[in-house]
Amino acid sequence: MGTHAALKVAESACAKFRYVLKCDVRKYFASIDHQILKDKLAAAIKCSRTLELAETIIDGSNPQEEVLFLFPGDDLFTPLDRRRGLPLGNQTSQFFANVYLDSLDQFITRQLRPGAYARYVDDFVLFSDSKQDLESMRLCISDHLELDRLRLHDRKSRVYQCAEGVTFLGWRLFPQKTRLVRENVIRFSRRMRQLQEDFHAGRTTWYAVQQSVRSWIGHAGFGDTTVLRRNLLDRFAFLPRSGAPSTGGAGRFLQQQYEEPPGRRSQQQRTG
């Protein structure tokens, strides 16, 4: 359903509940067990040709980062005997990764039943007004993941107050506001600086500059970033050259981006 769908659920829950359980699966893509994945696909897909194609893609996965976790019932050679890992970035890997954790979704929503739950691939959050309940859920989730030969990342999986700010999918969610994480802002600044250099050197077009800026603003428009966008975009000027718009035209284009994207609710509407 996309990152913004998951963010909307988490944003709403952050304003409603006191505590969050933030979870991260340790070395997720490198840990996905091929045989377990095939069994999960076979349980959901009945078309033999589709399953054959899926198995061909899985078997053809290039070697990933070595993961040597031992689980109940394993001996020292078990991790070496089982093929694991899916390549990052492949569209099939994204689909397979979601299928692999579908049983976790069912376990959390049907048995643990937190106040709210959102997951995007291996990054997921649970919300509740009870810190103790979330601590118990964390232990249950850890046990459940072991059935699929996965491990929670101990340092990145913890319970804390939503008021501290919930870091999720590149955003920092608070009960009354939503901010981009600092790393995303730095990354965009570097991209703009490179675009500026490439445009002035003739290595890219004004159209490419527009597309890149519009893409980022479409993403940044999810949160409360109007002032941030204005301050960032005001730092960069694209000087005119042959076939390019004037400096004033560039300024007018960037200024238009300060407006909230269509459908973006106001802060007052989002918080009640």
Side-chain angles (χ1 to χ4, degrees), residues 36-45 51 54 58 95-96 99:
I36 293 177
L37 175 58
K38 291 176 184 178
D39 292 343
K40 289 177 180 288
L41 289 171
I45 299 173
L51 286 175
I58 294 169
F95 172 73
F96 292 152
V99 171

Side-chain angles (χ1 to χ4, degrees), residues 28-42 51 54-65 79 81-87 93 96 99-100 148-150:
Y28 178 53
F29 278 89
S31 298
I32 292 177
D33 186 279
H34 287 192
Q35 188 56 54
I36 293 177
L37 175 58
K38 291 176 184 178
D39 292 343
K40 289 177 180 288
L41 289 171
L51 286 175
E55 290 184 2
T56 299
I57 294 172
I58 294 169
D59 292 339
S61 299
N62 55 305
Q64 303 298 303
E65 177 185 4
D81 294 336
R82 303 184 70 97
R83 291 202 67 215
R84 299 173 305 283
L86 296 177
S93 295
F96 292 152
V99 171
Y100 202 84
D148 290 329
R149 303 187 66 81
L150 298 174

Side-chain angles (χ1 to χ4, degrees), residues 82-238:
R82 303 184 70 97
R83 291 202 67 215
R84 299 173 305 283
L86 296 177
L88 290 171
N90 285 15
Q91 289 187 338
T92 51
S93 295
Q94 295 288 323
F95 172 73
F96 292 152
N98 274 328
V99 171
Y100 202 84
L101 287 182
D102 177 69
S103 60
L104 175 68
D105 295 336
Q106 304 303 325
F107 174 70
I108 290 175
T109 56
R110 297 184 179 185
Q111 297 188 41
L112 300 184
R113 302 177 67 84
Y117 168 63
R119 177 177 70 84
Y120 186 81
V121 191
D122 63 323
D123 196 0
F124 57 98
V125 284
L126 292 76
F127 294 86
S128 174
D129 284 325
S130 171
K131 185 176 182 179
Q132 291 73 25
D133 286 351
L134 290 177
E135 290 285 6
S136 298
M137 291 180 191
R138 187 181 69 82
L139 297 176
C140 293
I141 289 171
S142 179
D143 291 341
H144 185 86
L145 286 174
E146 287 196 353
L147 299 176
D148 290 329
R149 303 187 66 81
L150 298 174
R151 287 275 175 84
L152 272 184
H153 200 301
D154 291 336
R155 289 187 292 104
K156 296 182 179 180
S157 302
R158 65 186 185 94
V159 178
Y160 54 96
Q161 292 187 16
C162 294
E164 296 179 28
V166 182
T167 302
F168 187 51
L169 302 180
W171 290 86
R172 189 82 166 167
L173 310 178
F174 295 89
Q176 302 297 329
K177 60 186 177 181
T178 299
R179 296 284 188 255
L180 276 169
V181 298
R182 184 171 181 271
E183 289 79 5
N184 278 1
V185 177
I186 294 173
R187 191 178 302 118
F188 175 72
S189 296
R190 290 173 178 168
R191 189 199 311 172
M192 284 293 289
R193 189 174 299 110
Q194 187 62 53
L195 279 173
Q196 188 181 49
E197 293 175 3
D198 291 345
F199 180 74
H200 293 161
R203 293 189 295 267
T204 191
T205 65
W206 176 244
Y207 177 78
V209 172
Q210 288 180 314
Q211 293 298 103
S212 182
V213 173
R214 284 192 179 118
S215 175
W216 183 79
I217 287 174
H219 173 66
F222 175 84
D224 307 299
T225 59
T226 301
V227 175
L228 171 66
R229 282 181 276 146
R230 181 178 294 114
N231 291 339
L232 276 176
L233 295 176
D234 279 346
R235 290 166 49 189
F236 299 96
F238 292 81

Side-chain angles (χ1 to χ4, degrees), residues 67-93:
V67 178
L68 298 175
F69 295 146
L70 289 174
F71 297 93
D74 287 357
D75 57 37
L76 291 177
F77 298 101
T78 301
L80 303 176
D81 294 336
R82 303 184 70 97
R83 291 202 67 215
R84 299 173 305 283
L86 296 177
L88 290 171
N90 285 15
Q91 289 187 338
T92 51
S93 295

Side-chain angles (χ1 to χ4, degrees), residues 237-256:
F238 292 81
L239 301 179
R241 56 186 173 80
S242 178
S246 67
T247 306
R252 283 194 299 273
F253 161 70
L254 295 176
Q255 184 65 36
Q256 291 172 359

